[in-house]
């Protein structure tokens, strides 16, 4: 994820004066969008633009951890009540968690979240998973064709890949070249010589269904 | 399995010629028909492309219908980029109802390379799975197992690119496509016949192959294509030949000279391909230069074309 542009943030906050910032020491800090430094920078930037940052909440761990978050929100209750808006310097999950826990306030995203990935080093983020719900990494040499092929095809490579590069842009590896090379090394090319059937997308129909064990406990309660 | 003019010729000893028209970027059917008029007597069937590079064009199904009305046998291209399986099944019923019998299945270019980069791509399935769907429908049931009101009877084809990597994997994909129901193939443009031969040696299963020909209009076009069009590889010596043909000439003379050199290169390629085993014909893609089709077909000694039964 990355922070939205200064213009986008100001445009989003038009008409909002009192702001509470939220960040965390987990993904938000690692991606350098909602660590202590970015929260300070945001406060300074907003104050220069005649906004009031009335509070900053920094969650140890992730905003997605409901138990920790609830305690922190209780401790900052007074400021939260006065806020016109909460500006969340974390992912789309965090924004939605805060919307659900504090429905009387609006929570706005300070970032654009694009993918789940591997943080190779600070600032360098590689997309690796698109949460497809049907993991086949054991068959594709640990390289995901959904997440890493620009067309997400299962019987790749397409005819546009040349010299190991994707047809979309030459900075992207052809995922199927990577899969081929790795399976060749492992002596497992048979995994991709057969036709892979069309996949079933119903398992990840969004929004996801409530998980089975929760459903079961609900059923038990009724029973 | 249905018989079409194309399938009959591919199963005969004839060296088959197919060509391609690019549908208009709008609803002007006269434009399509005037392009068609230039090339229709010089080939056995005509491809209609499906929103190439994600640039919206007159629908391939509608164009195929117009071709049939003009007495031309169409080959409809269907890409998996823009349709999920619901739209895709529906499209096959529609094409079949309109009398389209030859369908070529392609994965489709990435839409970031075209004029509508903001679009959401679909890719519910790939070209191999598309062939599986079509083969399944021809068995009389849809993907849910419901019996069909009228069963499509089609001659299924696909494409392959001998220039693409890894070569072994692409050869396997050809075999997967044959297994999924492809009866014939058209290839990406061939400029390196040596590589094409090497590729063909990797294919064990028997099939019908039409080798792709795109005549080059000059060194600038060649440079552009090899750099920007996915899957096209033009060897340096061909680009140098085109440059040399135009050296020291005034602009209009230069254009004429490089164009004629481009045609000459294409004719040499056709002659070499004609000698290969396992290749049943050529597929000429004018890419907006429909006039090249009669020129190439006549000069390569492939005119007149056999009559229809």
């Amino acid at each position: 994820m990355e922070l939205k542009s200064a213009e986008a943030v100001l445009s989003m906050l038009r008409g909002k004066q009192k702001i509470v910032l939220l960040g965390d020491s987990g993904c938000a800090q690692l991606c350098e969008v909602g660590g202590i430094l970015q929260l300070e920078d945001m406060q300074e930037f907003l104050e220069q633009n005649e906004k009031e940052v009335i509070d900053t909440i920094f969650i140890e761990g992730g905003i997605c951890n409901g138990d920790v978050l609830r305690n922190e929100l209780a401790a900052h209750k007074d400021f939260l009540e006065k806020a016109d808006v909460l500006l969340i310097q974390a992912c789309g999950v965090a924004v939605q968690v805060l919307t659900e826990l504090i429905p009387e306030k609006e929570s706005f995203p300070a970032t654009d979240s694009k993918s789940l990935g591997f943080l190779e080093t600070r600032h360098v983020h590689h997309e690796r998973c698109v949460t497809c719900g049907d993991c086949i990494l054991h068959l594709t040499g640990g390289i995901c064709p959904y997440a890493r092929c620009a067309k997400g095809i299962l019987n790749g490579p397409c005819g546009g890949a040349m010299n190991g590069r994707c047809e979309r842009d030459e900075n992207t590896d052809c995922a199927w070249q990577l899969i081929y090379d790795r399976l060749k090394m492992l002596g497992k090319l048979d995994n991709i010589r057969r036709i892979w059937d069309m996949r079933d997308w119903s398992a990840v129909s969004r929004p996801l269904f409530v998980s089975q064990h929760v459903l079961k406990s609900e059923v038990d309660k009724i029973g | 399995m249905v018989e079409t003019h194309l399938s009959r010729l591919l199963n005969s000893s004839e060296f088959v010629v197919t060509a391609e028209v690019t549908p208009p970027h709008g609803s002007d059917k006269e434009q399509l028909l005037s392009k068609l008029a230039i090339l229709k007597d010089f080939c056995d069937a005509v491809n209609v492309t499906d929103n190439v590079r994600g640039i919206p064009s007159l629908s391939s199904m509608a164009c195929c219908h117009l071709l049939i009305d003009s007495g031309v046998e169409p080959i409809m291209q269907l890409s998996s980029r823009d349709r999920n399986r619901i739209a895709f099944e529906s499209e096959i019923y529609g094409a079949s109802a309109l009398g389209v019998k030859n369908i070529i299945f392609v994965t489709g270019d990435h839409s970031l390379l075209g004029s509508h980069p903001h679009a959401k791509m679909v890719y519910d399935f790939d070209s191999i799975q598309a062939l599986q769907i079509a083969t399944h429908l021809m068995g009389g049931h849809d993907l849910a197992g419901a019996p069909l009101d009228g069963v499509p009877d089609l001659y299924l084809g696909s494409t392959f690119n001998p220039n693409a990597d890894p070569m072994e994997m692409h050869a396997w994909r050809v075999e997967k496509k044959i297994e999924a129901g492809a009866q014939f193939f058209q290839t990406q443009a061939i400029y390196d016949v040596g590589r094409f031969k090497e590729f063909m040696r990797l294919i064990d299963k028997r099939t019908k192959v039409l080798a792709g020909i795109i005549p080059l209009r000059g060194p600038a076009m060649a440079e552009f294509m090899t750099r920007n069009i996915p899957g096209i590889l033009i060897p340096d010596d061909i680009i140098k030949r085109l440059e040399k043909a135009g050296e020291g000439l005034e602009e209009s003379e230069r254009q004429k000279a490089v164009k004629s050199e481009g045609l000459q290169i294409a004719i040499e390629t056709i002659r070499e391909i004609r000698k290969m085993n396992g290749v049943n014909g050529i597929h000429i893609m004018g890419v907006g230069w429909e006039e090249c089709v009669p020129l190439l077909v006549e000069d390569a000694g492939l005119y007149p074309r056999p009559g229809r039964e």
Side-chain angles (χ1 to χ4, degrees):
Chain A
M1 65 190 139
E2 55 202 45
L3 281 170
K4 287 178 180 287
S5 68
E7 301 81 60
V9 170
L10 288 179
S11 152
M12 196 163 54
L13 295 176
R14 199 166 295 142
K16 309 283 187 191
Q17 187 56 31
K18 296 189 169 75
I19 298 160
V20 174
L21 300 179
L22 278 103
D24 69 41
S25 69
C27 304
Q29 177 154 295
L30 285 169
C31 293
E32 309 220 304
V33 295
I36 303 276
L37 291 176
Q38 293 80 42
L39 289 167
E40 283 173 5
D41 288 348
M42 183 65 81
Q43 175 165 3
E44 194 183 326
F45 165 73
L46 293 175
E47 285 169 357
Q48 280 165 3
N49 286 280
E50 285 144 22
K51 303 279 181 193
E52 292 169 55
V53 174
I54 58 170
D55 194 10
T56 295
I57 305 175
F58 183 73
I59 306 290
E60 287 295 340
I63 292 175
C64 52
N65 181 341
D67 293 334
V68 177
L69 182 66
R70 277 190 203 92
N71 287 338
E72 284 293 325
L73 293 180
H76 291 260
K77 192 164 173 279
D78 294 347
F79 291 109
L80 286 166
E81 275 172 7
K82 289 189 195 116
D84 293 331
V85 68
L86 280 55
L87 185 63
I88 317 303
Q89 293 180 231
C91 72
V93 174
V95 179
Q96 296 186 62
V97 167
L98 284 152
T99 303
E100 283 166 39
L101 291 181
I102 313 180
E104 63 278 15
K105 298 287 175 188
E106 282 188 290
S107 289
F108 283 175
T111 72
D112 292 313
S113 310
K114 291 181 178 167
S115 65
L116 296 182
F118 161 49
L119 203 64
E120 186 183 292
T121 177
R122 282 178 104 80
H123 306 289
V124 185
H125 194 257
H126 301 297
E127 180 172 31
R128 289 294 179 263
C129 177
V130 290
T131 60
C132 78
D134 179 22
C135 194
I136 52 165
L137 285 167
H138 55 302
L139 299 171
T140 55
I143 296 152
C144 178
Y146 299 132
R148 300 179 65 184
C149 163
K151 300 176 182 177
I153 58 174
L154 274 185
N155 292 285
C158 75
M162 308 267 279
N163 304 317
R165 297 293 168 170
C166 176
E167 77 168 33
R168 190 194 62 179
D169 73 286
E170 58 186 24
N171 295 318
T172 301
D173 289 322
C174 168
W176 280 99
Q177 177 83 52
L178 299 178
I179 292 169
Y180 172 82
D181 292 344
R182 172 119 177 108
L183 290 178
K184 192 172 186 176
M185 196 192 84
L186 296 171
K188 288 187 168 178
L189 279 173
D190 277 350
N191 288 1
I192 50 172
R193 277 194 82 156
R194 67 175 174 91
I195 296 179
W196 282 67
D197 289 335
M198 280 193 294
R199 57 157 304 156
D200 171 8
W201 290 105
S202 66
V204 281
S205 170
R206 310 276 182 192
L208 293 179
F209 292 99
V210 177
S211 68
Q212 290 303 310
H213 75 272
V214 173
L215 276 179
K216 191 172 178 303
S217 68
E218 291 297 312
V219 171
D220 290 348
K221 231 188 282 171
I222 297 163
Chain B
M1 178 67 70
V2 70
E3 264 204 11
T4 67
H5 182 55
L6 177 68
S7 74
R8 272 190 295 272
L9 290 181
L10 283 173
N11 286 299
S12 72
S13 57
E14 193 68 45
F15 193 73
V16 179
V17 180
T18 58
E20 178 173 291
V21 284
T22 312
H25 295 157
S27 58
D28 184 1
K29 71 173 185 181
E30 297 310 324
Q31 189 201 98
L32 176 84
L33 296 176
S34 62
K35 283 180 176 180
L36 189 65
I38 297 168
L39 52 78
K40 67 174 187 168
D41 294 333
F42 296 84
C43 58
D44 305 311
V46 175
N47 274 50
V48 181
T49 53
D50 179 18
N51 299 306
V52 168
R53 294 172 73 212
I55 301 170
S57 310
L58 186 56
S59 99
S60 60
M61 191 193 335
C63 290
C64 285
H65 176 62
L66 295 168
L67 261 62
I68 292 172
D69 275 356
S70 313
V72 175
E73 178 159 302
I75 304 170
M76 177 166 143
Q77 290 190 199
L78 259 182
S79 142
S80 23
R81 184 192 53 225
D82 308 323
R83 297 172 187 88
N84 68 7
R85 61 196 84 180
I86 299 166
F88 193 75
E89 288 178 61
S90 159
E91 195 86 352
I92 290 175
Y93 306 151
S96 189
L98 291 173
V100 179
K101 306 258 182 229
N102 307 307
I103 306 189
I104 283 246
F105 299 89
V106 300
T107 304
D109 311 314
H110 198 287
S111 62
L112 270 189
L113 307 174
S115 64
H116 281 50
H118 305 115
K120 180 175 185 178
M121 299 190 305
V122 181
Y123 290 123
D124 188 16
F125 45 85
D126 56 38
S127 54
I128 290 161
Q129 295 159 341
L131 284 158
Q132 285 184 313
I133 299 176
T135 301
H136 179 87
L137 296 178
M138 286 161 68
H141 294 83
D142 74 4
L143 288 177
L148 298 182
D149 303 324
V151 181
D153 197 7
L154 306 166
Y155 187 51
L156 307 178
S158 192
T159 55
F160 67 80
N161 183 4
N163 308 316
D165 299 310
M167 204 197 279
E168 181 183 36
M169 189 78 213
H170 279 279
W172 294 345
R173 289 185 85 232
V174 172
E175 299 199 339
K176 285 190 193 190
K177 286 178 173 182
I178 294 169
E179 195 186 325
Q183 305 272 321
F184 71 102
F185 290 87
Q186 291 172 331
T187 79
Q188 181 56 281
I190 309 286
Y191 297 99
D192 181 349
V193 181
R195 166 116 184 179
F196 183 36
K197 285 180 180 164
E198 201 184 328
F199 187 89
M200 289 298 293
R201 279 196 288 272
L202 295 177
I203 296 164
D204 291 331
K205 291 194 173 120
R206 284 176 61 84
T207 188
K208 305 293 174 190
V209 175
L210 296 157
I213 301 290
I214 301 181
L216 298 165
R217 275 165 273 181
M221 175 193 180
E223 292 262 10
F224 175 83
M225 292 213 329
T226 201
R227 283 215 191 110
N228 300 304
I229 307 293
I232 299 231
L233 194 67
I234 303 175
D236 284 344
D237 56 338
I238 286 189
I239 298 176
K240 286 203 188 94
R241 240 181 99 172
L242 290 165
E243 276 166 357
K244 207 167 166 217
E247 260 172 19
L249 296 173
E250 294 283 327
E251 186 49 28
S252 66
E253 287 300 305
R254 195 192 66 84
Q255 273 191 20
K256 225 187 275 175
V258 294
K259 239 175 164 176
S260 121
E261 187 70 7
L263 285 173
Q264 186 53 40
I265 292 167
I267 286 164
E268 289 166 23
T269 310
I270 294 170
R271 291 208 174 111
E272 240 185 300
I273 284 170
R274 217 175 158 178
K275 287 186 256 166
M276 284 174 64
N277 283 329
V279 180
N280 309 82
I282 49 169
H283 173 56
I284 306 173
M285 296 165 274
V287 207
W289 184 22
E290 283 74 24
E291 292 80 1
C292 77
V293 177
L295 294 172
L296 283 176
V297 172
E298 281 193 302
D299 285 356
L302 295 167
Y303 188 78
R305 301 308 308 151
R308 296 247 216 132
E309 273 173 31

